[in-house]
Amino acid sequence: MSTRVAVVGDELAAGVGDPRGMGWVGRVIGRTTAPETLEVYTLAVPGETSTQLAARWETECNRRFGPGDNRLVVALGSADLDHGVSLARSRLNLANVLDDAANRRISTFVVGPPPRPGAEESAIAELSRAYSDVCQRRRVPYAETFEPLRTHEQWLADVAAGDGVHPGQAGYGLLAWLVLHNGWHDWIGAEDPSA
């Protein structure tokens, strides 16, 4: 029996800018030893808002899910800030996704938006806190990426060295580390190698 994991999110979920093509998803899966075989399907849409993600996740994931253990990773970006999506709407969009998944008994893990050039830091911080609160209220694991990377020299240098928007190998390695150290192993039912 296998565990099917669908990852929905923006282009960071697909690893855009990573010369090795692994992104954070590939690195996380590469460091995960699960009792069941993991089938991972990355369903990324560049520049996607939470409204767009909430509208498509179920239809797209249904085509990948099967009998047995189906899981959902929601990798949130900060496109809501560029498209005038209110903070209340962003919260509601995530809440709807998590509630719908819970009603279908689909276990969910959420990855928050990392810092990015051209977006106001305080706005991303507020968005990340809102997403974290939605997850905490539903007891869904949340990997905070904004605060740890906001002033992280390696992250900032890696983004600047590429296209100025997306990280490269080092940045995706940092994202993977944050996911792995924020409840991933417990959530996926794998042994934590660092324990």
Side-chain angles (χ1 to χ4, degrees):
M1 198 66 157
S2 62
T3 298
R4 292 188 181 190
V5 181
V7 183
V8 292
D10 66 8
E11 66 274 14
L12 290 179
V16 170
D18 182 358
R20 293 184 64 198
M22 293 174 63
W24 66 262
V25 175
R27 286 171 170 80
V28 165
I29 299 306
R31 290 178 177 85
T32 302
T33 307
E36 305 284 344
T37 302
L38 293 180
E39 295 179 27
V40 181
Y41 302 95
T42 304
L43 310 168
V45 174
E48 182 171 61
T49 66
S50 65
T51 304
Q52 293 164 327
L53 186 150
R56 77 170 173 100
W57 82 269
E58 201 164 4
T59 303
E60 291 204 19
C61 292
N62 282 344
R63 297 169 67 186
R64 278 86 182 174
F65 288 158
D69 189 10
N70 297 301
R71 292 172 183 255
L72 175 68
V73 176
V74 180
L76 298 159
S78 52
D80 284 14
L81 304 176
D82 304 327
H83 296 276
V85 179
S86 71
L87 192 63
R89 172 52 63 184
S90 298
R91 288 178 64 99
L92 183 61
N93 288 334
L94 178 58
N96 287 339
V97 171
L98 298 182
D99 292 345
D100 290 347
N103 288 337
R104 293 185 55 203
R105 292 184 171 78
I106 298 168
S107 181
T108 309
F109 187 100
V110 178
V111 181
R116 67 176 168 93
E120 192 179 323
E121 277 196 2
S122 61
I124 300 178
E126 191 176 28
L127 186 62
S128 184
R129 282 193 298 272
Y131 287 148
S132 175
D133 182 58
V134 169
C135 291
Q136 192 172 20
R137 289 171 186 266
R138 287 159 178 79
R139 293 186 172 88
V140 169
Y142 181 78
E144 164 71 38
T145 66
F146 173 75
E147 200 51 49
L149 297 178
R150 184 175 59 84
T151 58
H152 196 290
E153 287 181 23
Q154 194 174 19
W155 169 265
L156 299 173
D158 202 46
V159 170
D163 62 7
V165 178
H166 303 101
Q169 289 185 61
Y172 281 112
L174 290 168
L175 285 171
W177 191 93
L178 289 168
V179 170
L180 288 165
H181 290 83
N182 279 283
W184 174 264
H185 295 286
D186 281 345
W187 177 75
I188 204 71
E191 199 173 304
D192 186 347
S194 64

